[in-house]
Amino acid sequence: MRTSAYLVGGLRTDDDVTRLCQRLADIGVAEGIGAVTVERYPAVGREPGRDVLTVKHADAVAPDLGALRKAAARAGRLTLDPLPLPLPLPPSR
Amino acid sequence: MDPLTLPLWLRATHLINFLLIGIALRSGWEIIASLPRFWWRGDCKPGTEWVRFTRRELPKEEGVYTSLMDEKRLSPIVGLPGRKNVGLGRHFHGLGVSLWIINGIVYVVLLFTTGMWRRIVPTSWDIFPNAWDSLLVYLSFRTPSIEHFMPYDALQQLGYFAIIFIVAPVMILTGIAMAPAVRSRFPWYVKLWGGHQGARSIHFIGMALLTIFIVVHVVLVFTVYPEHNVTRMVFGEVDTARFAQALTTMIATIVLVLAFWIALSYAALANRPLAQKIVVGITQPIRRALAHLKPRMSRQSSYTDEDISEFHWTNGLPPTEDESVEWLEMRERDFSDWRLTVRDSMNDREVELSLEDLRKLPRASYVAVHTCMQGWSATSRWTGVRLSDVLDVLGPRPEGARYVMATSYGLAQSMYGNRPREPFYACLDLAMVGEEDTILAFERNGEALEDHLGAPARLRVESNHGYKMVKWLARLEWIEDYKAVGDGRGGTREDSAMQAFDGRI
C-alpha cells in the first residue's frame, strides 16, 4: 500500500468533503483507490490553512490525476494539485 | 361495541406508530446506505450479493479496498440523519425501534384485552378467498362495496395481520440477531436466521414489505371511501358531515410529523456530538443489560472451522509511509523486532512484549463471526492470547484504572470535522477486558495475521462490533478515564463517526 497526496482547492464545508469522497469512491475500483481521506489543516500564524487529500492505493497502481480531477469536478468547483510526500506531520502524531 | 368505531387508544398508538416508524425506517435507510448491498453468504464476497443499491463495483482482491469506500451519502430529507452518518443512524434506529416496540406491545395488549383482536386476527379460512376476490376488484380499478368494510375488508384484515403479527416480529427477531452481544453468546440463534447476512437480508426484506404496505395503506385511506376512513381515524367514528374538518386535521398532522422527521435530521447534523450523547444516553441501559448475558466460549460449538469464510472485508488499510515508517520497517523484518508496549499510565510503569513473549502466554483459539457496524461479516478462527493475560504481565490492575486504551500504528481514516488524522485508538471497559473472548490475536485461520487485517497483532473483542478491535497494535494502556483522550468519547470511531462507546449492539 502507498499513499498519494493532493492539495484540494475550493472546499468550504464538511459536506463538500463528503461529496468529494463520494465521487472519488465512484471511481475507486477503476483507479485502484483503496481509501480516501481529506485532512483540513487550519491556518497557523502566517501559514494559510490547506485541505489535503490522501489516497491509499496498491504499490503497483498510480491513480490517474486526470480521472481524480474529473471526479473532483463532479463534486463541485474543486481543484486538485499533487503534493510531494512526506507530508509535514501534525504535532499530535 | 360498534364495529366501525376506532377507540382513542387505537388512534393514539396508530399516531405514535406513524411517528416512530418514520424514525426507524429513515435511520434504517441510513444504515443500509453505509453498505448498500445484501448477501445470503456469510463472507459478503464481492460479486455474490443478491441485491445492491449502488453502481460501484468491488475489487475481487482482498485487502485493497476499505468498506468505508462503499458508503453512500443520503440527503437528510431521506436518511436520519443523512450525509454519511451511520453512527448516528444506528443510535436513532435503536431509539426509534425501542419506542416502536413498546408502543407495539401496548397496542397488542389492548387489542387482546378489549376483544378488538377479532378485527385483525382471521378466525375463518374464508378470509383467503374473500381477500382474493377483494384483490381482483382492486386490480380492476374498482372498489369493494362499503358493506365489506366492517371495519376492514378481508384483504385489509389479512394485510394488517401479516404486518402486525408476522413482518414486525420477524424484523424484531432478525434485528436482535445482528447484535454482536447476542451473536457472541447465542450463535445458534443467529445461525437459525442464516447467519448475520441471512438476518440482515431478511430484515431488509421486512423493511421493504413494511414500506410497500405503508405506501399502499396511505393511498387506499385517501382513495377508498376516504370520508369514512378519515373521519373514523380522526374522530373515532364515521361522521361524513365532518369530513373536511377531519381531512384538515389529518393533513396538518402528517405535515407536522414529516417536518419533525426532517428537523430531527438537521438538528442532529447541527450538533452531532450532542445528538450522540442524548440518544446513546437513552439507549445505554439496553447495552448495559447485554453486558450481563452469560459469557461466551464455554461450550461454544455453533461455529466451527467448516464455517470459515473464503473472503474477509476490511475497514481500514495497513499503515503507509505517511502514517508509520516504523511499522513498515518492522514489516520488512517480519515483525521480528515488533514490540507491544503495555503501560500503566497512572504509575508511569510499562513493559514491552515481543511476539515471542506473547506466544509464551496461554493460548486462546476459537471460531467467531466478525461484524462491522456497516453490515459486512466474516467468519475466522482467531488465535492469540487473552487480553487479561497480557495485562497481567504488567501486574495487578492499577488502583483506579477503569479502562484499557489500545492504540494502533495506523492512523484514523478520518477525524471529526476532517481535522488532521491521529493514530487510531479504542478504549475497553473492565467488562470487555475481562471477557474470555477478548484476545490479542496474532493468527487467523492458523496462519500469521495478514497485513490488511492487523499484522502482527490486533484486538478481538467478540462481544462488540469491529470498531473496538484495533489493528496494527502498538500499545495497551491502563487509564483512569477516556474523557481526556481524543474527543473524550472512548475511541476513534466514537469520536469521528459518533459510534457508541459500548459496541455490543
Side-chain angles (χ1 to χ4, degrees):
Chain A
M1 275 291 143
R2 281 173 49 210
T3 293
S4 297
Y6 307 87
L7 190 65
V8 191
L11 290 174
R12 289 169 302 155
T13 65
D14 287 342
D15 198 34
D16 290 344
V17 174
T18 305
R19 289 170 194 276
L20 170 63
C21 292
Q22 287 282 285
R23 294 307 178 196
L24 293 169
D26 288 342
I27 60 164
V29 173
E31 293 302 316
I33 300 171
V36 291
T37 302
V38 171
E39 294 172 274
R40 312 198 74 182
Y41 292 82
V44 178
R46 289 183 180 179
E47 277 290 307
R50 59 180 191 165
D51 299 326
V52 176
L53 165 71
T54 50
V55 173
K56 269 188 176 179
H57 50 87
D59 290 343
V61 179
D64 176 60
L65 182 59
L68 296 182
R69 281 179 168 154
K70 215 166 164 178
R74 289 180 63 211
R77 301 181 68 170
L78 305 177
T79 57
L80 285 187
D81 290 298
L83 273 178
L85 286 172
L87 295 170
L89 298 178
S92 54
R93 283 186 203 173
Chain B
M1 181 186 290
D2 182 346
L4 295 180
T5 59
L6 298 179
L8 182 62
W9 66 261
L10 194 146
R11 285 176 282 142
T13 50
H14 185 263
L15 176 61
I16 294 168
N17 182 65
F18 172 46
L19 184 77
L20 296 174
I21 204 80
I23 293 174
L25 284 174
R26 295 175 64 244
S27 55
W29 296 336
E30 183 79 29
I31 297 169
I32 290 172
S34 76
L35 188 69
R37 307 168 191 269
F38 290 88
W39 292 265
W40 294 113
R41 56 183 282 166
D43 64 358
C44 309
K45 189 177 178 184
T48 63
E49 55 268 49
W50 65 270
V51 66
R52 63 176 178 164
F53 301 94
T54 174
R55 288 182 193 164
R56 289 177 196 157
E57 296 298 327
L58 293 173
K60 300 285 183 281
E61 194 185 339
E62 210 177 276
V64 296
Y65 183 86
T66 166
S67 55
L68 288 179
M69 289 282 283
D70 215 32
E71 274 193 289
K72 299 288 279 187
R73 176 193 179 280
L74 287 185
S75 159
I77 293 170
V78 178
L80 176 61
R83 294 182 184 162
K84 276 177 65 174
N85 276 289
V86 63
L88 285 178
R90 281 163 38 76
H91 304 323
F92 276 117
H93 200 64
L95 177 63
V97 169
S98 301
L99 296 174
W100 178 71
I101 290 172
I102 292 169
N103 185 59
I105 291 169
V106 170
Y107 167 80
V108 170
V109 166
L110 287 171
L111 200 65
F112 281 94
T113 52
T114 59
M116 288 188 68
W117 62 272
R118 291 183 183 85
R119 292 182 178 185
I120 304 289
V121 182
T123 51
S124 162
W125 292 110
D126 291 344
I127 189 96
F128 290 105
N130 291 342
W132 178 251
D133 290 344
S134 192
L135 179 66
L136 293 179
V137 171
Y138 282 118
L139 290 177
S140 61
F141 296 101
R142 290 180 292 122
T143 304
S145 61
I146 191 72
E147 296 79 34
H148 286 85
F149 295 89
M150 293 300 285
Y152 312 129
D153 85 334
L155 186 62
Q156 199 176 6
Q157 185 181 358
L158 209 53
Y160 290 178
F161 176 78
I163 289 294
I164 297 166
F165 293 105
I166 299 173
V167 174
V170 165
M171 291 195 73
I172 295 166
L173 294 172
T174 50
I176 292 168
M178 286 186 276
V182 172
R183 180 188 65 248
S184 64
R185 268 74 178 182
F186 310 105
W188 58 267
Y189 175 73
V190 184
K191 224 168 179 181
L192 205 68
W193 293 102
H196 188 79
Q197 295 309 319
R200 185 170 178 260
S201 286
I202 294 168
H203 199 73
F204 165 76
I205 292 168
M207 181 281 294
L209 290 173
L210 196 57
T211 306
I212 292 168
F213 168 81
I214 291 168
V215 170
V216 172
H217 176 62
V218 171
V219 167
L220 292 181
V221 161
F222 288 105
T223 54
V224 178
Y225 305 112
E227 65 281 17
H228 285 236
N229 298 329
V230 174
T231 54
R232 192 162 52 205
M233 287 174 75
V234 174
F235 301 121
E237 58 190 11
V238 174
D239 184 355
T240 52
R242 299 170 73 190
F243 176 57
Q245 190 184 352
L247 186 64
T248 307
T249 305
M250 185 178 274
I251 289 173
T253 305
I254 291 172
V255 169
L256 277 175
V257 171
L258 292 176
F260 173 76
W261 287 345
I262 294 167
L264 200 56
S265 280
Y266 283 99
L269 290 170
N271 193 338
R272 296 194 298 145
L274 180 64
Q276 191 247 25
K277 196 173 176 183
I278 293 170
V279 185
V280 170
I282 298 170
T283 53
Q284 186 56 23
I286 303 171
R287 291 185 190 83
R288 205 169 288 140
L290 289 171
H292 298 297
L293 291 175
K294 74 179 180 75
R296 190 184 173 270
M297 278 181 75
S298 50
R299 297 183 301 282
Q300 183 65 247
S301 58
S302 292
Y303 285 94
T304 68
D305 289 323
E306 300 292 313
D307 297 302
I308 286 175
S309 298
E310 194 181 317
F311 189 88
H312 199 307
W313 280 67
T314 182
N315 185 330
L317 295 171
T320 46
E321 66 273 27
D322 60 319
E323 294 179 60
S324 176
V325 173
E326 194 182 357
W327 183 87
L328 287 167
E329 289 175 350
M330 287 189 293
R331 189 189 60 171
E332 287 299 307
R333 296 187 287 271
D334 287 332
F335 299 109
S336 58
D337 55 345
W338 174 83
R339 295 290 181 271
L340 172 72
T341 303
V342 184
R343 183 173 165 74
D344 163 8
S345 64
M346 284 163 292
N347 299 300
D348 199 22
R349 291 187 307 126
E350 65 180 43
V351 293
E352 288 197 334
L353 300 175
S354 66
L355 276 172
E356 279 311 306
D357 294 330
L358 292 178
R359 288 196 179 101
K360 287 175 191 161
L361 296 172
R363 288 237 171 168
S365 186
Y366 53 80
V367 178
V369 178
H370 175 106
T371 55
C372 174
M373 49 79 207
Q374 283 181 267
W376 57 265
S377 60
T379 308
S380 306
R381 172 169 286 283
W382 297 100
T383 301
V385 291
R386 288 197 178 89
L387 179 62
S388 53
D389 289 341
V390 177
L391 294 166
D392 282 348
V393 173
L394 190 63
R397 173 165 64 92
E399 201 178 320
R402 294 190 299 138
Y403 300 94
V404 170
M405 182 169 82
T407 310
S408 173
Y409 279 103
L411 299 184
Q413 280 192 75
S414 64
M415 300 286 289
Y416 184 74
N418 298 299
R419 66 174 186 258
R421 292 182 295 161
E422 293 169 8
F424 189 98
Y425 79 100
C427 295
L428 309 181
D429 61 22
L430 295 179
M432 296 174 198
V433 170
E435 282 167 345
E436 284 184 87
D437 50 355
T438 293
I439 71 166
L440 203 156
F442 42 74
E443 284 180 16
R444 190 176 80 95
N445 300 337
E447 303 286 337
L449 195 55
E450 302 98 316
D451 284 355
H452 66 278
L453 293 176
R458 64 172 294 169
L459 268 186
R460 297 291 315 165
V461 189
E462 306 305 341
S463 63
N464 279 245
H465 276 302
Y467 64 88
K468 300 301 262 190
M469 308 186 199
V470 176
K471 300 192 282 284
W472 312 292
L473 200 57
R475 169 189 289 251
L476 295 170
E477 192 170 357
W478 278 114
I479 57 170
E480 197 173 352
D481 202 351
Y482 56 75
K483 300 288 182 206
V485 182
D487 289 346
R489 284 187 281 277
T492 294
R493 294 297 288 165
E494 289 91 326
D495 289 344
S496 63
M498 302 298 131
Q499 296 292 350
F501 171 79
D502 185 337
R504 289 185 171 91
I505 299 180

